[in-house]
Amino acid sequence: MALTYELHLPVRRPADDVFDFIGTHYFENHPRWEREVVEVRRLTGGPIGVGSRAVMVREEFGRRSEAHLEITAFEPPRTIAFRHLGGPMVFEIAFETASTGGSSADLSVHIRAELLGRYRLLTPAFALNLPRTGRRIMRRLVALIEAEPNRRRA
């Protein structure tokens, strides 16, 4: 059974700045907003875009794990999405930004997760934890974006 989760938060920054932090600089910034992520190591060169791949190194409950991921949508300044490749779950996440005026934006996250094999037994616990974890991560993300210095665009 697939689980879905959505969260929408206002951000006191222009949509371009929000996307720059989450999308354009995803690989270096993700460990800043999710404490379980130790690093995100790029596997492909060139500018970030659809098909870019990386390894996300996570540490949870004292154990390190690696999750391979691939960017599945990259539409500046609106959308970045990715999916985890392999592992005990299907995990897809998309971040979307929308301008609400010159200096503010809405940030939405859409998650789809499905535990596989014997891990399906953990689905009820995962379903209970997903909203709490999602809110914690998104609040941290918004705080970091709002604390970033203004970016000048040419």
Side-chain angles (χ1 to χ4, degrees):
M1 175 177 99
L3 303 171
T4 58
Y5 175 71
E6 290 188 18
L7 183 62
H8 309 275
L9 290 173
V11 184
R12 291 184 309 262
R13 292 302 294 269
D16 284 350
D17 287 356
V18 175
F19 186 85
D20 187 66
F21 189 90
I22 296 170
T24 307
H25 296 282
Y26 167 75
F27 296 114
E28 59 266 33
N29 283 337
H30 192 146
R32 294 175 62 195
W33 76 68
E34 187 174 356
R35 66 179 178 220
E36 295 84 1
V37 176
V38 177
E39 70 174 312
V40 180
R41 241 181 358 257
R42 278 189 86 160
L43 298 176
T44 53
I48 188 172
V50 173
S52 295
R53 290 183 176 215
V55 174
M56 178 186 295
V57 180
R58 300 179 62 85
E59 188 167 321
E60 298 175 271
F61 309 111
R63 299 186 72 192
R64 274 191 178 229
S65 64
E66 292 187 353
H68 288 253
L69 60 93
E70 177 179 48
I71 304 295
T72 57
F74 190 78
E75 301 162 12
R78 177 139 172 83
T79 304
I80 182 171
F82 60 90
R83 66 179 174 184
H84 286 219
L85 306 169
M89 81 166 77
V90 173
F91 188 84
E92 300 167 343
I93 186 167
F95 294 95
E96 294 182 353
T97 62
S99 179
T100 58
S103 62
S104 62
D106 281 332
L107 175 60
S108 301
V109 63
H110 309 273
I111 296 172
R112 181 183 171 278
E114 183 175 3
L115 297 166
L116 305 172
R118 68 178 188 253
Y119 293 98
R120 280 191 170 147
L121 297 172
L122 299 173
T123 298
F126 196 83
L128 285 174
N129 195 45
L130 184 59
R132 181 178 57 236
T133 302
R135 283 190 303 273
R136 172 182 55 86
I137 293 168
M138 288 293 286
R139 280 194 303 264
R140 172 78 176 145
L141 175 56
V142 168
L144 286 167
I145 293 168
E146 291 179 344
E148 281 286 296
N150 287 331
R151 297 186 188 271
R152 297 263 181 209
R153 301 216 182 268

